[in-house]
Amino acid sequence: MNLFENIRLALEGLRANKMRALLTMLGIIIGIASVMAISTLGSAMTGSVTKTMDKIGGKNIMVSLSPKNYDTQSTLQEEDLITQEELDAFRNTYADQIKAISFSTGMGSGQLNSGFIHKDVSITGASPDYGLVNNVNLVQGRFISDRDMDGTRNVIIIDTTLRNNLVGVDGDVIGKEIQVDTKSTNETYTVIGVYEKMVIDNPLFYMGDDTRIECFIPITTAKSLNPDTTNQNGYENFTIMATTNTDSAAFAQTTKEYFIKGLGSLSDFTIQAESLEAIASEATGMLATLSLGISVIAGISLLVGGIGVMNIMLVSVTERTKEIGIRKALGARNSAIRSQFIIEAIIICLIGGIIGVGLGSALGIMGSTLMKFPTSPPFLPMIIALCFSMAIGVFFGFYPANKAAKLDPIDALRYE
Amino acid sequence: MRNKIIEMRGIVKSYYLGTPNELEILHGIDLDVYEGEFLSIVGASGSGKSTLMNILGALDRPTKGHYYLDHLPMENVRDDGLSQIRNKKIGFVFQTFNLIPRSTALKNVALPMLYGGIPRSERSRRAAELLQLVEMSGRSHHRPNELSGGQKQRVAIARAMANDPAIILADEPTGALDTHTGRLVMDIFHRLHQEQGKTIILITHNVELAEETERTIRLRDGSIVDNRMNGHYQLEGCYESV
C-alpha cells in the first residue's frame, strides 16, 4: 500500500467529517498564522532598517578622536589631530576600498536675514565630498567645490523650504546674497545650491521633527570664521564612504588600527571608527532575535493545536473501531492501519498549516503596509512552518494511530 | 484424492480469565475440508461456532492443535502473516455485512485488493467484474447506506471474492435478511460453488439452510457431535467414503 493510497484514504476520511476537520485544524491555523505574521513583520522591519540605513549612508564609517578616559578632562592637542598628509597617505593605501572621505564641522545655529525674512538656521562647514557621502539631494545649483574650499569663499547651500520662503517655489535663488548671523560672526553668503531635506519615513527611526534648517558652507570658510584655532590644521573627525563591495565593518576596524598607530601612545585620545552597516546589522540582529522569540511564544499555540489533533484522532479511532476491524479482517496489516491514521493526522495539520501560512502572510503584509514598510512574506519561515505542522501531525498522530493498529481484529469487529 | 484445503487436528481454544479459571471453548476439534466443498457448521449459541470461525478465518490462533490452511501451517505465524493469509486465502461474509460506510460499493469490493498490493486500475476492473457477478453493476457507485440489506450482502460477497480466496467463510450471511432476500443470497453461494468451484464454509444456526449444503458439521459445547452428508449429496458422499 503506497503513500498515494493512504493520502486518498485520509482525504476520504476528512471529507466525511468536514466541520470537525476544520475545527481541529483551527488550532494549527491560528498557531501557524501567528508565527507567519510575526516573522513577516519581523522581516519587514529588518528590511526597513537596512533600507533606511542605505538611505542615510550604509557604507559610511564615522571616524573621530575621542578621549581614552572620559573621567579626566582632556583637551585635544594640535598633534592629536589627523593631518591632511596622513589622510592622503591612508587614502592611497586603501584606494580600492575608499570611495570618498568627507569632513564637516558644526558652526552652531544662527539667524538668516534677507529683507524682511528672518529664519533660524544651523550652519555646517562641509567638504566637497560631504554631498556624496551624506546623500545630499541637490535640486538646484551645485555643491561646494574645491575652488570654494581653496578660496574660503562665502558661498552657501540652502534647503528647499528656505528657497520657497525667499523666492517662492519657482523662483531663482542661485546667486542671491543672504546674511547669516551667528554668535560670533555676521557674514554675507552667496547661494550656490538648493537641496531637498532627506525625509526618513521610517517610524523606527523617528527622532522628532527637526524644524531647523541646515545650511552648508565650505569647511575652510567655517574654520576661518571660527575663533578657536586648535583644529585649524587637522581633523578631529571625518566620514569615510567605503566602496560597495567593501565589508565596511571590517574596514572600520582597519581604519581604527591605522590611525591609532599614527596617534602615538602618549596621547589622551584614541580613535573611534564605527560603520553604519555594523550598527544596522546589530539592530536587525536584535529585531530578528525579538521576532524569533515572539514566534516561539506563538508556537506554543501550535502545541495546543497539536493536542487538539491528537484528541480528535483518538475520538476518530474509537468511532471507527469497527471499520478498523473490517479492514484488518480483509487483510490490512497493522502498519497499513497505522500509516492510514498518521497520514490523516499529517494531512489535517498540513492543510491547517497551508491555510495558516496564507492567513499569516496576509496579516503580515497588511500589518507591514500599515507600518509603512510593505514586504512580501519571507520564504524560509514559510517552509519551516509547513514542515513543522507536518511534524506536529506525525508527533500527535502517532499515539492514536498506534492504538488503532494494535486493536484486536475480533474485538474491533464486534464493536458497536 | 481431493485437495485438502483445511486440516484441523486437535484444535483447543481456551481463555484465561485469570488462573485457575481457565475456560475451554473448543475441546480438540478435528476437521477436514476439501477443495470445492460447500460445508455448513451449525450449532446453538455458545457452542463455539464463532470461536471456530475466528480460528478458521485466521483472526485468532488456537491454544493447542494444528491447523493447515491450503497446506500452510498456521502455528507461529505472526500478526502480519495472519493479515496476509486473511487477505489472500480467506473471503469473509458477515451477518451485518461490515461494509465501509464511507466508501462506494466499488471501493468496498476493491479494498482487499488494495491491501493485497494490486494496482489501482486492476482493482477497479476486477471490482467491477465481481459486482457484475453478483448483479450489482448498476449500484457500484452507491454507498452502503443507499443499498438494501440484500444488496449490501451481495456487495460483501463480491468483496469476499476479490483476491480469489481459497475459502469463503460466511458467518450467518442471511441472518439479517428476510427469507426472500436470504434465498437470493444463498443462491449466489450455490452459484459460486457450482460455477466457480469455490470452497464455501457457511456458519449458521438455521438447520434448513445447512441442509442445502453438501455436508453439515454440528457443534455442541465445543465439540463436533455430528458430521454428515446432506440429502441428495449423501449418495455422492457415501461413494467417496468407500
Side-chain angles (χ1 to χ4, degrees):
Chain A
M1 197 144 113
N2 64 27
L3 188 64
F4 287 108
E5 308 286 5
N6 266 315
I7 292 173
R8 207 171 287 132
L9 270 181
L11 287 176
E12 263 172 42
L14 293 181
R15 228 174 281 141
N17 263 320
K18 287 190 197 83
M19 190 62 189
R20 183 204 280 180
L22 188 72
L23 286 173
T24 311
M25 280 173 201
L26 209 56
I28 305 291
I29 292 174
I30 291 170
I32 294 282
S34 44
V35 171
M36 261 325 280
I38 288 160
S39 56
T40 305
L41 280 181
S43 89
M45 293 210 275
T46 311
S48 82
V49 168
T50 316
K51 215 167 120 189
T52 307
M53 281 297 186
D54 279 346
K55 199 170 175 182
I56 297 170
K59 283 289 172 187
N60 287 4
I61 299 162
M62 286 159 295
V63 186
S64 62
L65 284 161
S66 70
K68 276 180 182 162
N69 188 343
Y70 284 95
D71 294 340
T72 55
Q73 283 280 332
S74 17
T75 42
L76 264 177
Q77 303 300 310
E78 182 91 36
E79 62 265 27
D80 291 331
L81 294 174
I82 295 158
T83 62
Q84 188 63 50
E85 290 73 37
E86 281 176 313
L87 265 177
D88 288 343
F90 172 70
R91 199 170 181 157
N92 286 335
T93 316
Y94 299 104
D96 53 335
Q97 295 180 70
I98 300 166
K99 197 170 173 186
I101 298 181
S102 93
F103 313 97
S104 65
T105 177
M107 288 256 305
S109 52
Q111 198 182 42
L112 178 144
N113 303 306
S114 173
F116 300 113
I117 296 162
H118 307 285
K119 281 273 171 194
D120 286 330
V121 293
S122 74
I123 305 295
T124 301
S127 69
D129 273 346
Y130 185 93
L132 171 70
V133 172
N134 292 287
N135 273 337
V136 175
N137 180 20
L138 219 59
V139 291
Q140 240 179 314
R142 61 176 179 84
F143 203 70
I144 295 154
S145 71
D146 286 331
R147 290 175 66 190
D148 297 330
M149 293 276 285
D150 295 340
T152 58
R153 290 179 181 163
N154 279 10
V155 290
I156 193 162
I157 288 106
I158 61 171
D159 85 339
T160 44
T161 14
L162 202 55
R163 185 232 11 227
N164 298 349
N165 275 319
L166 292 172
V167 296
V169 179
D170 299 320
D172 186 13
V173 78
I174 304 294
K176 194 171 174 67
E177 302 216 325
I178 55 176
Q179 198 196 335
V180 180
D181 298 334
T182 66
K183 217 186 283 173
S184 52
T185 64
N186 37 23
E187 294 280 325
T188 302
Y189 299 93
T190 310
V191 176
I192 54 165
V194 179
Y195 77 97
E196 192 166 292
K197 195 173 169 181
M198 185 189 292
V199 182
I200 297 170
D201 53 358
N202 188 335
L204 291 174
F205 283 80
Y206 184 73
M207 293 166 191
D209 282 318
D210 188 4
T211 48
R212 266 191 327 178
I213 296 158
E214 192 175 17
C215 297
F216 302 107
I217 60 170
I219 190 167
T220 47
T221 313
K223 279 187 176 182
S224 71
L225 293 170
N226 196 333
D228 178 13
T229 52
T230 45
N231 59 357
Q232 291 297 330
N233 300 316
Y235 301 102
E236 197 182 330
N237 55 57
F238 54 91
T239 305
I240 301 169
M241 187 188 212
T243 51
T244 39
N245 47 8
T246 300
D247 175 2
S248 65
F251 191 57
Q253 191 59 30
T254 313
T255 309
K256 186 176 172 171
E257 280 158 16
Y258 182 93
F259 286 105
I260 282 178
K261 251 183 281 167
L263 209 53
S265 54
L266 287 173
S267 172
D268 287 340
F269 284 78
T270 186
I271 300 287
Q272 289 247 322
E274 280 179 300
S275 88
L276 268 179
E277 213 166 45
I279 295 167
S281 77
E282 208 169 286
T284 53
M286 258 171 62
L287 275 175
T289 314
L290 193 71
S291 63
L292 184 72
I294 302 173
S295 294
V296 167
I297 293 167
I300 292 172
S301 66
L302 271 179
L303 197 72
V304 179
I307 293 168
V309 170
M310 178 147 90
N311 194 12
I312 229 62
M313 289 308 293
L314 281 171
V315 170
S316 170
V317 168
T318 309
E319 263 183 10
R320 282 147 73 182
T321 301
K322 181 128 191 169
E323 178 193 321
I324 295 163
I326 297 168
R327 288 180 187 276
K328 285 194 154 188
L330 297 180
R333 292 170 185 225
N334 291 357
S335 57
I337 301 289
R338 189 182 298 119
S339 44
Q340 182 190 337
F341 280 91
I342 287 186
I343 286 173
E344 198 168 311
I346 292 177
I347 284 182
I348 289 178
C349 292
L350 193 61
I351 293 175
I354 291 168
I355 297 174
V357 163
L359 199 68
S361 305
L363 279 175
I365 291 168
M366 252 161 61
S368 65
T369 310
L370 282 177
M371 288 167 82
K372 282 192 183 147
F373 26 82
T375 188
S376 55
F379 185 67
L380 191 66
M382 221 182 259
I383 298 299
I384 293 173
L386 288 181
C387 291
F388 196 65
S389 63
M390 273 171 73
I392 285 172
V394 176
F395 187 77
F396 289 102
F398 187 81
Y399 174 69
N402 208 36
K403 205 178 155 192
K406 281 184 174 163
L407 282 174
D408 179 58
I410 298 168
D411 292 342
L413 269 174
R414 214 177 281 147
Y415 185 89
E416 287 299 332
Chain B
M1 189 68 193
R2 288 159 85 190
N3 185 14
K4 216 185 259 179
I5 287 279
I6 284 171
E7 183 177 343
M8 277 184 161
R9 289 292 175 270
I11 295 292
V12 172
K13 181 71 191 178
S14 334
Y15 290 97
Y16 297 90
L17 308 162
T19 39
N21 305 328
E22 189 183 323
L23 185 65
E24 200 174 277
I25 305 286
L26 298 176
H27 317 289
I29 301 280
D30 295 328
L31 176 66
D32 290 331
V33 180
Y34 295 93
E35 186 172 10
E37 245 193 307
F38 193 173
L39 179 86
S40 57
I41 298 174
V42 294
S45 45
S47 61
K49 255 185 325 176
S50 303
T51 310
L52 181 60
M53 194 207 86
N54 288 340
I55 293 172
L56 277 170
L59 286 163
D60 205 354
R61 295 183 180 84
T63 315
K64 261 185 258 170
H66 303 285
Y67 172 25
Y68 297 92
L69 173 62
D70 207 8
H71 308 292
L72 290 167
M74 301 285 279
E75 287 110 282
N76 307 321
V77 179
R78 299 162 70 101
D79 280 357
D80 278 355
L82 287 183
S83 296
Q84 222 169 341
I85 286 164
R86 288 197 293 271
N87 187 246
K88 300 285 185 203
K89 300 285 182 194
I90 297 160
F92 285 99
V93 179
F94 301 94
Q95 178 175 2
T96 51
F97 326 120
N98 283 350
L99 298 174
I100 306 278
R102 288 180 280 107
S103 301
T104 61
L106 191 78
K107 282 195 171 163
N108 264 293
V109 176
L111 196 58
M113 293 185 269
L114 170 73
Y115 292 121
I118 289 163
R120 194 170 145 80
S121 55
E122 171 65 14
R123 290 203 305 260
S124 309
R125 192 192 62 73
R126 178 152 168 80
E129 211 176 271
L130 287 165
L131 282 173
Q132 198 165 16
L133 186 74
V134 295
E135 288 158 10
M136 284 293 293
S137 297
R139 320 227 67 182
S140 59
H141 294 290
H142 290 252
R143 284 169 210 276
N145 60 6
E146 298 159 343
L147 302 174
S148 72
Q151 289 173 328
K152 281 187 215 174
Q153 200 58 303
R154 273 143 71 186
V155 172
I157 293 169
R159 183 179 66 182
M161 294 284 291
N163 283 332
D164 195 18
I167 57 168
I168 288 182
L169 210 51
D171 182 13
E172 297 280 10
T174 60
L177 304 174
D178 59 65
T179 320
H180 174 68
T181 331
R183 180 72 258 144
L184 293 175
V185 167
M186 279 308 286
D187 288 346
I188 293 175
F189 281 121
H190 282 295
R191 199 148 55 81
L192 289 177
H193 173 236
Q194 280 154 13
E195 290 174 9
Q196 310 225 348
K198 276 281 148 203
T199 312
I200 301 169
I201 299 177
L202 175 75
I203 291 145
T204 181
H205 64 269
N206 185 331
V207 181
E208 272 176 54
L209 287 181
E211 290 288 325
E212 290 180 22
T213 64
E214 292 176 326
R215 181 159 65 112
T216 300
I217 305 274
R218 190 178 298 275
L219 269 179
R220 188 180 296 150
D221 298 331
S223 302
I224 295 177
V225 293
D226 194 11
N227 178 358
R228 61 177 173 84
M229 293 294 165
N230 285 323
H232 60 283
Y233 295 114
Q234 261 172 359
L235 192 64
E236 195 187 329
C238 292
Y239 199 71
E240 174 140 320
S241 61
V242 169

